[in-house]
Amino acid sequence: MAETRCVSARQLFGSGDWLGVWLVLLSACGFGSMALFAKLAYGDGVDTASLLAYRFVIAALVLAGWGIWRGWRWPSGRAAMAYGLMGAVYAAMAWAYFSALHYAASATVALVLYSYPALVALGGALLGLDRFGRAEAFAIVLASAGLALMLGGGLSGSPWGLALAFGAALCYSGYILLGGGIRSDAHPVCASALVLSVAAAIFSSLAIGQGLRLPHTLAGWGAVTALALLGTAVAIAAFISGLIRIGPTLASVVSTLEPVVTVLLGVLFLGESLGLRGLLGGILILAASLALVWLRTLAPTGKACDG
């Protein structure tokens, strides 16, 4: 019979590289700030297509320059085509997420987006890419309950905004499932630069076709630049670096800070509020993500230790 090893919280969280933890925290803060910078840019006259074109062009240039400077390996062949497809899916996710910000508060959009871990678990099971057991079922029930609470009341936004946010979660789930099937020896920074370059090409074409809209003020340019650098290039680079040091499990747990940052920034700088039912729904969605990571960590090795 296989040995059942007890895994304690100290073993799971106490042995990680603290530099890696801080890098993932930096990444979560960067991604969590995206909604704030987007709202500020929208208020300065920038439309969604133009904002995303600026975001992805600047971020792609930064990461591509970094990869070329370091001499890292780039994707090639089928891997390059797969990363290109990921770029198209990521572009769809970004359009849905940033469009949702026109119709719903940033807190609502961020919390609904974070239903994606449960969606990834369900999608992976349906496609035969991953197991589906009690941990996955429990996470989906929690996330569904949270979405039901947010749908039933406490929302700051329209049903269309909620639908767009959930569409973003679906697209991001597809992006993750697609990325999980790619086998390549390319450096993650170079792969990310390729993904962002495809998204940049898509939104640049859209923005030019619709008429590129520039920010009206220096503050607007600052918001766009911060979104591209802090909310995209730095966030992605920090997450990749942290992931290498601490692994996917702890990185996933630490990343749940992202929607918390979005909610806090929305309350502090955008005057947003989240009703009690909406707040409870968001807590359930975050709990689903944490529960899925925790239970999957314990499942292969046995049960949790006391203390």
Side-chain angles (χ1 to χ4, degrees), residues 155-183:
L155 289 175
S156 181
S158 69
W160 178 236
L162 182 64
L164 285 169
F166 189 68
L170 287 173
C171 290
Y172 197 44
S173 301
Y175 170 83
I176 292 173
L177 291 171
L178 180 60
I182 298 177
R183 298 293 178 265

Side-chain angles (χ1 to χ4, degrees), residues 28-29 31-32 34 110 113-114 116 254-263:
C29 291
F31 284 128
M34 290 192 306
L113 176 66
Y114 238 77
Y116 78 83
V254 176
S255 292
T256 56
L257 177 68
E258 177 186 332
V260 177
V261 171
T262 302
V263 171

